[in-house]
């Protein structure tokens, strides 16, 4: 797998709290995408960050990418119950040209 | 808004039977993908296509075939379904590589008994 074991996790927090989800990858990548998947739906892209950006913001979302440690994070500030979902990071593998998904983080935000 | 439609949404098949999952996109995207998702895991790429008439093997192609008869349609075929192929299957369209967003369908839940 392109992803480390720590990629699979579950988080449960209260509405209003901030949360950060992490993922690491084994092969070189120039782009990481974060997707959100709500129950019974297909994944939908949230944010894309390139290797020359280090940080990208979109509304309450903040993504980081550290190519030296081969890791990425997604932070959500002021979480809402509607943020409850599974969050995936996906890295572009420059060797294969494919977008490879990690195992995801199950986030539960309690109202 | 990009649109990807999968059919059927749910399917129960018997071991050894043939199963065809269909996907239609109205985004005019050249590239289409089939992923499977198992409980507790991310999405794994089965087959993909660069355009009508082309199919390529993804990371887990064994036991699956794909067909891309037109720009809009991409099918996944299980010639001899096995219980290990019980999963949720997602179709996506989009560009190739990390710079492009993939647009996913709602998924097909397949149970092979």
């Amino acid at each position: 797998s392109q992803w480390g074991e720590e990629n699979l996790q579950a988080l449960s927090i209260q509405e209003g709290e901030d949360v950060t989800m992490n993922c690491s990858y084994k092969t070189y990548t120039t782009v990481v995408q974060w997707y959100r998947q709500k129950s019974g739906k297909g994944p939908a892209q949230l944010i894309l960050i390139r290797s020359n950006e280090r940080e990208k913001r979109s509304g309450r979302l903040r993504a980081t990418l550290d190519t030296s440690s081969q890791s990425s994070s997604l932070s959500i500030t002021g979480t809402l119950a509607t943020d409850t979902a599974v969050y995936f990071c996906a890295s572009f593998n420059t060797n294969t040209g494919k977008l490879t998904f990690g195992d995801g983080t199950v986030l539960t935000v309690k109202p | 808004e990009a649109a990807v439609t999968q059919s059927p949404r749910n399917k129960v098949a018997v071991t050894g039977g043939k199963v065809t999952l269909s996907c239609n996109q109205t985004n005019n995207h050249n590239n289409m993908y089939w992923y499977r998702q198992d409980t507790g895991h991310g999405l794994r790429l089965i087959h993909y296509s660069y355009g009508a008439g082309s199919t390529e093997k993804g990371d887990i192609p064994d036991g699956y075939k794909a067909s891309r008869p037109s720009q809009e349609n991409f099918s996944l075929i299980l010639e001899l379904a096995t219980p290990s192929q019980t999963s949720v299957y997602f179709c996506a369209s989009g560009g190739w590589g990390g710079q492009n967003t993939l647009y996913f369908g709602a998924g097909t839940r397949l149970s092979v008994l």
Side-chain angles (χ1 to χ4, degrees), chain A residues 8 30-31 33 35 37 40-43 45 48 50 88 92 96-103, chain B residues 9 35 37 40-43 45 48 57-59 90 96-102 104-106:
Chain A
L8 176 64
T30 56
V31 176
Q33 300 185 25
Y35 285 78
Q37 183 179 26
K41 305 283 188 180
Q45 191 198 69
L48 179 156
R50 299 177 177 85
F88 295 99
F92 173 55
T96 64
K98 300 173 187 172
L99 195 65
T100 301
F101 287 79
D103 287 341
Chain B
R9 291 296 314 278
Y35 287 87
Q37 183 177 34
H41 294 282
L43 294 96
L45 182 62
Y48 57 97
K57 293 181 179 180
D59 297 321
F90 288 97
W96 180 251
Q99 306 296 333
N100 297 287
T101 299
L102 295 190
F104 284 84

Side-chain angles (χ1 to χ4, degrees), chain B residues 64-112:
Chain B
Y64 302 94
K65 289 173 56 178
S67 174
R68 182 87 182 270
S70 65
Q71 177 84 338
E72 297 79 21
N73 295 295
F74 191 37
S75 297
L76 185 68
I77 303 155
L78 291 66
E79 294 277 5
L80 295 170
T82 68
S84 64
Q85 294 175 312
T86 293
S87 187
V88 180
Y89 292 84
F90 288 97
C91 175
S93 74
W96 180 251
Q99 306 296 333
N100 297 287
T101 299
L102 295 190
Y103 296 90
F104 284 84
T108 294
R109 183 172 296 275
L110 173 65
S111 296
V112 183

